[in-house]
Amino acid sequence: GGLKDMFNVRLDEFKVVDLAFLHNTSMPTIAVLYEDPREVRHLSTHTISVRDKEFQQGPWSQSNVESGASMLIAIPSPYGGVIVVGEQTVTYYQSG
């Protein structure tokens, strides 16, 4: 098959550092590593509503991840979730 409808969506996060599509989700879901105006890094998730062509708040988020965090690695089934790679730590996050 070919591509159907393409559309653009806008993220509200201040400065995106990295993003990754998560595995094993009922709707297309991305994890976003971003930096706020105070230069503090956070992790959030967003589902993509294909019908409404917009982002919706995702199933989970994590404030104040390591300040040197710079990479996300999506983990496939059966575990799911995402690894955040920082300068000093590697941390695993998942829903629940």
Side-chain angles (χ1 to χ4, degrees):
L3 294 175
K4 291 197 177 202
D5 296 327
M6 296 186 309
F7 57 93
N8 294 321
V9 289
R10 182 179 180 281
L11 283 170
D12 292 330
E13 282 74 6
F14 180 68
K15 178 182 173 186
V16 174
V17 177
D18 197 15
L19 61 88
F21 276 89
L22 300 178
H23 300 274
N24 302 334
T25 57
S26 59
M27 294 179 63
T29 304
I30 61 169
V32 180
L33 176 63
Y34 69 97
E35 190 173 274
D36 69 19
R38 297 170 305 171
E39 298 183 356
V40 177
R41 295 201 174 177
H42 310 280
L43 179 65
S44 65
T45 58
H46 300 276
T47 57
I48 303 170
S49 172
V50 177
R51 184 186 73 220
D52 298 331
K53 297 182 180 177
E54 65 182 15
F55 281 124
Q56 298 173 345
Q57 185 173 355
W60 53 273
S61 63
Q62 177 65 49
S63 297
N64 302 314
V65 299
E66 182 191 329
S67 62
S70 61
M71 182 188 311
L72 298 178
I73 302 171
I75 304 301
S77 65
Y79 302 105
V82 67
I83 290 176
V84 177
V85 179
E87 292 174 352
Q88 299 178 355
T89 62
V90 174
T91 310
Y92 172 67
Y93 295 97
Q94 74 177 64
S95 178

